[in-house]
Amino acid sequence: MERLSVDSIFSQSLESLQDQFALWGEPRWRAGQLMEWIYRKFAGGFDECSNLSKPLRAKLKEKYSFSLAPLVTVTGQEHETRKFLWKLEDGNLVESVLIPAGSEEGGRHTLCVSTQVGCAYGCRFCASGRSGFVRDLTAAEIVGQFLGAEAWHRRQSGAKDDRLLSNIVVMGMGEPLSNYENLMRALSIINAPWGGNLGARKITISTSGLAPQIRRLAGEEPQYRLAISLHAAEDAVRDQIMPVNRKYPLNELLAACEAYQRAKGRMISFEYILIDRLNDTPRQCDLLAGIARRFHAHVNLIPFNKVDGCAFRCPPPDVIQGFFAHLQKRGISVTLRQKKGGDINAACGQLRLRKMGEGELSR
Ligand code: SF4
């Protein structure tokens, strides 16, 4: 649903710009110059594109907007997880989270981007689902989070050529696969050599389990990684925490994952939020190990982060460690995310909810 920024420059492909330039009687290669200003030099507006003529810049201004959502807040410290809150043109707020990518990435970072304002899927452990669905983000608003983070980094560091982001995870507010077209368009721009130039294997799409869209994604050309928000290893438990499971129960979801894996190879991982006395039992651990083994998949364990108004709790440290150790003993590739984000509201959707509570939302 392209509502606000149908003519945003950030949703244009190189090809569409080349066609537009040709219509204006401009050489097609000039479109590449413009893309360089946007995606290499992170220009702040058409007037900074000094190798484009003034008349061309005037035509561009008339046809396309060049406005990034302003930053409302940044929380977190250097070398730790940071959270950005952006204010969209219509006053809605969305979040992105910046996560240090580790020393092997040379100090670069992963950006977790949002794809919707709010979310319709109502997972019970999630802040985004609590205020309901507002709207899909446009492709430009998704690309804008990537550009906004890079622009912020340049302002902070003063470095002109230094890139901040090495990876993108589509795991912020919203169910990415229910905003399929805009997501695919945005990722194709972030992935393109003339655009964000991030390899498809550096881009991970997360889903709560929309089986038909997973099958559709399997047919797309780029080799994006897929992360399944599993959070329970049998229907009886998953039904309690993720309403989507009633529509696409585990057997349907896992069959779609198999189709994805057949098409893409080993590109699937499972996210598993550990919730006290719900999905942290030895039985769930065994079932999870069975699923992970079937897919040769990596499991990312995430201790539950407190969400305002949600009664769930994080399991005690010994239960978390025991769950982790048991998966390791079963030969599963597993990581345990350290609890870093709690104090900056890093559970998805929380910062937005709190700002809404403070009256930041304009409608
Ligand atoms: S976990 Fe994802 S799909 Fe579920 S409510 Fe939150 S944002 Fe929506």
Side-chain angles (χ1 to χ4, degrees):
M1 181 172 72
E2 287 281 353
R3 257 185 5 162
L4 296 173
S5 305
V6 67
D7 286 321
S8 168
I9 198 68
F10 307 130
S11 63
Q12 304 305 310
S13 66
L14 178 63
E15 213 178 25
S16 67
L17 269 190
Q18 285 171 333
D19 290 348
Q20 185 57 56
F21 276 37
L23 280 176
W24 285 334
E26 297 281 345
R28 295 174 73 86
W29 53 266
R30 286 223 174 269
Q33 288 183 320
L34 175 54
M35 290 307 195
E36 249 187 55
W37 280 105
I38 298 171
Y39 296 102
R40 298 284 172 280
K41 300 176 187 164
F42 301 101
F46 291 120
D47 284 332
E48 287 180 30
C49 308
S50 52
N51 56 1
L52 303 183
S53 69
K54 274 193 178 164
L56 175 55
R57 280 185 255 156
K59 279 186 249 180
L60 284 164
K61 276 189 223 171
E62 213 167 280
K63 175 132 186 89
Y64 303 108
S65 74
F66 197 125
S67 62
L68 284 177
L71 198 49
V72 178
T73 327
V74 190
T75 51
Q77 302 296 317
E78 203 182 342
H79 307 306
E80 290 178 7
T81 301
R82 288 194 200 248
K83 197 156 202 171
F84 300 107
L85 189 69
W86 315 101
K87 189 167 193 169
L88 304 175
E89 238 174 292
D90 60 357
N92 275 305
L93 300 173
V94 283
E95 305 171 1
S96 320
V97 179
L98 184 67
I99 306 150
S103 51
E104 74 280 3
E105 295 284 357
R108 290 172 80 180
H109 290 70
T110 296
L111 188 72
C112 174
V113 298
S114 294
T115 50
Q116 297 180 317
V117 181
C119 182
Y121 285 81
C123 302
R124 288 185 53 212
F125 48 80
C126 172
S128 299
R130 300 187 83 77
S131 57
F133 173 73
V134 180
R135 69 170 174 87
D136 285 330
L137 295 191
T138 63
E141 287 167 337
I142 299 169
V143 173
Q145 294 170 63
F146 167 85
L147 289 172
E150 289 284 3
W152 169 84
H153 172 63
R154 287 183 172 227
R155 286 197 300 276
Q156 292 293 109
S157 69
K160 286 223 165 350
D161 304 318
D162 184 22
R163 279 284 294 270
L164 173 69
L165 303 175
S166 56
N167 297 73
I168 293 281
V169 293
V170 189
M171 220 177 261
M173 198 193 305
E175 164 51 64
L177 294 187
S178 74
N179 186 12
Y180 194 91
E181 272 81 21
N182 288 343
L183 175 68
M184 287 302 114
R185 186 161 167 192
L187 292 185
S188 72
I189 292 169
I190 291 170
N191 176 228
W194 50 260
N197 199 26
L198 268 191
R201 285 163 186 264
K202 301 277 186 181
I203 296 173
T204 302
I205 301 170
S206 167
T207 177
S208 61
L210 306 194
Q213 281 88 334
I214 291 172
R215 289 178 184 277
R216 188 173 170 194
L217 191 62
E220 302 281 351
E221 202 180 307
Q223 296 276 92
Y224 299 130
R225 292 183 181 275
L226 181 65
I228 304 295
S229 296
L230 195 66
H231 308 318
E234 67 182 336
D235 287 328
V237 179
R238 204 164 188 262
D239 278 351
Q240 290 179 50
I241 54 177
M242 301 182 75
V244 69
N245 198 66
R246 289 186 211 123
K247 192 159 185 199
Y248 305 115
L250 275 171
N251 61 353
E252 224 174 293
L253 168 59
L254 297 179
C257 290
E258 260 165 7
Y260 192 84
Q261 202 162 50
R262 268 197 305 278
K264 306 285 184 194
R266 288 185 192 181
M267 305 288 285
I268 293 180
S269 58
F270 293 109
E271 303 289 311
Y272 198 98
I273 294 179
L274 282 163
I275 303 170
D276 189 32
R277 293 165 202 239
L278 197 67
N279 63 1
D280 60 347
T281 61
R283 176 180 165 81
Q284 289 301 303
C285 192
D286 278 338
L287 290 169
L288 174 61
I291 293 173
R293 179 163 299 186
R294 177 172 153 197
F295 288 91
H296 304 281
H298 183 79
V299 174
N300 190 18
L301 293 178
I302 308 150
F304 176 68
N305 239 329
K306 194 176 173 328
V307 171
D308 297 341
C310 173
F312 292 157
R313 284 188 320 218
C314 181
D318 60 313
V319 174
I320 294 174
Q321 280 304 329
F323 201 99
F324 175 61
H326 189 69
L327 287 176
Q328 277 188 318
K329 223 182 288 163
R330 297 275 309 264
I332 305 302
S333 160
V334 54
T335 46
L336 174 60
R337 195 185 294 173
Q338 298 307 317
K339 282 199 84 175
K340 274 186 192 162
D343 51 351
I344 61 157
N345 309 318
C348 89
Q350 287 227 52
L351 187 61
R352 169 178 171 266
L353 278 190
R354 289 192 182 168
K355 283 287 169 193
M356 281 167 70
E358 290 163 16
E360 275 283 354
L361 203 66
S362 71
R363 57 171 225 176

